Amino acid sequence: MDWDKLRIFHAVAEKGSLTHAGDVLHLSQSAVSRQIRALEESLNVTLFHRHARGLILTEQGELLFDATTQMVRRLDATAARIRDSEDEVFGELRVTTTTGFGTLWLAPRLARLYAKYPALKIDLMLEERVLDLPMREADVAIRMKEPSQADLIRKRLMQIRMQLFATPEYLAIHGEPHSMDDFSSHRLISQHAGTPQVASGALLVAELMTHDIPSTLTVNNYFGVLQAVLNHLGIGVLPDYLTEDFPNLVRVLPEVESAEVPVFLAYPEELRHSKRVAAFRDFVTEEIMSFRRRQAEEAAA
């Protein structure tokens, strides 16, 4: 099969339109249409159903699109490795992590990474879904559990726990609870137990919900929980790494916390020698070491 035709087919399948694919490829709609027709004739199949609202892949088209998607990802990986043969750290680095960790811990610290490598372009993808690193959905992942794939390089960064926090202003008005029985006069703010999240956090929330708590607020990520807590709406279930950046938060019921949650950094074996990945890995490792050191100093004080 002709790679030029496959490249054009892939663009049409992604965009669902000859016109939009032509814009991306800098080709006219008629030129794109001719290439698709020639590819269909060479394969003796129909790759698209034509509808007024656009193009929809046929079953055979889906099979070919799966193949071209893998080809494009492999080519992207190869291009990345070629670029990484240069001494300078530059170019795009796609990083995936959870919404909570990405917004509350990672993003506020990225200024120091950009100061060192101003030509770096970071695409930060924040979602609870675990992206497939070997299939190049992302270059680097920070995950709240050990990755299961065998062809990944992984590094354990730290461990965190979910704990209870409130603002001094909230506690001044409502009082500080001394046991879970006191929650009958407080509002609990947390992720819903059924929301995609680390298992330890979900178990803690489920346990808390077994008590007599008349008022609750559930949010689908920790960033939303934090905003509600900072606005004095109640007592929130939040990760303990927030205490450094939000020192005014008061920990409530210190004996109530989740089991340890391991935090891992992972990337594909094929990016072992990537200078961009190494720069990001070293940056995160240094930030974690500094964070741990400050925690130890505070605990000893």
Side-chain angles (χ1 to χ4, degrees):
M1 286 181 280
D2 187 306
W3 168 243
D4 281 338
K5 292 184 177 63
L6 291 176
R7 181 174 60 89
I8 293 170
F9 160 80
H10 185 80
V12 174
E14 271 196 326
K15 300 299 180 182
S17 161
L18 296 172
T19 302
H20 292 157
D23 291 341
V24 171
L25 298 167
H26 306 293
L27 295 172
S28 67
Q29 179 181 338
S30 59
V32 173
S33 179
R34 283 196 302 273
Q35 293 291 340
I36 294 299
R37 191 163 54 249
L39 181 60
E40 289 179 322
E41 289 173 358
S42 69
L43 295 173
N44 197 29
V45 296
T46 300
L47 297 172
F48 295 98
H49 293 302
R50 274 74 172 174
H51 291 275
R53 62 181 181 274
L55 301 177
I56 299 175
L57 287 166
T58 62
E59 183 179 353
Q60 293 84 359
E62 291 279 5
L63 289 171
L64 186 58
F65 184 56
D66 286 343
T68 58
T69 298
Q70 293 183 41
M71 293 167 67
V72 167
R73 285 173 177 163
R74 286 296 181 185
L75 286 171
D76 286 346
T78 301
R81 293 183 67 178
I82 291 172
R83 289 195 298 271
D84 280 331
S85 64
E86 302 292 334
D87 289 336
E88 185 181 358
V89 175
F90 73 100
E92 184 183 45
L93 182 69
R94 296 169 301 162
V95 179
T96 178
T97 189
T98 62
T99 303
F101 191 83
T103 57
L104 301 176
W105 192 89
L106 180 59
R109 289 166 169 78
L110 287 178
R112 289 190 280 275
L113 179 62
Y114 278 119
K116 193 171 183 180
Y117 303 109
L120 199 57
K121 298 176 182 178
I122 298 174
D123 181 7
L124 195 54
M125 297 176 281
L126 306 180
E127 54 183 299
E128 308 312 310
R129 182 173 69 91
V130 176
L131 299 187
D132 192 328
L133 296 184
M135 289 301 294
R136 297 308 309 278
E137 288 187 322
D139 299 315
V140 183
I142 298 178
R143 295 177 177 170
M144 305 300 122
K145 64 177 181 180
E146 185 169 6
S148 57
Q149 289 120 320
D151 50 352
L152 294 179
I153 296 172
R154 68 211 66 200
K155 176 181 177 64
R156 183 164 180 153
L157 297 174
M158 62 176 176
Q159 54 280 333
I160 61 176
R161 291 180 186 269
M162 306 305 159
Q163 299 170 343
L164 296 173
F165 295 94
T167 60
E169 293 85 350
Y170 173 84
L171 296 175
I173 296 172
H174 299 277
E176 184 171 347
H178 298 288
S179 71
M180 285 306 303
D181 292 337
D182 295 339
F183 253 89
S184 58
S185 58
H186 291 277
R187 180 177 297 111
L188 179 68
I189 307 169
S190 69
Q191 289 204 69
H192 190 280
T195 301
Q197 58 180 304
V198 294
S200 295
L203 288 172
L204 176 60
V205 171
E207 166 61 24
L208 293 172
M209 291 297 187
T210 64
H211 295 271
D212 179 23
I213 303 177
S215 181
T216 63
L217 170 63
T218 56
V219 191
N220 66 349
N221 60 65
Y222 287 119
F223 180 77
V225 174
L226 175 64
Q227 294 307 306
V229 171
L230 292 177
N231 283 281
H232 324 303
L233 288 181
I235 298 172
V237 179
L238 290 165
D240 60 2
Y241 57 73
L242 289 176
T243 55
E244 181 177 54
D245 294 333
F246 299 90
N248 289 334
L249 288 177
V250 177
R251 186 173 177 191
V252 176
L253 297 177
E255 71 277 8
V256 177
E257 63 181 5
S258 74
E260 283 190 349
V261 179
V263 180
F264 282 87
L265 182 142
Y267 51 95
E269 174 70 35
E270 64 193 53
L271 293 180
R272 174 184 290 275
H273 301 293
S274 166
K275 290 182 172 59
R276 286 168 298 154
V277 170
F280 182 80
R281 179 199 63 215
D282 294 346
F283 155 74
V284 171
T285 301
E286 289 168 7
E287 288 293 327
I288 293 289
M289 289 176 64
S290 298
F291 175 67
R292 283 174 172 167
R293 187 164 54 248
R294 288 189 294 270
Q295 277 189 319
E297 291 170 354
E298 289 175 7

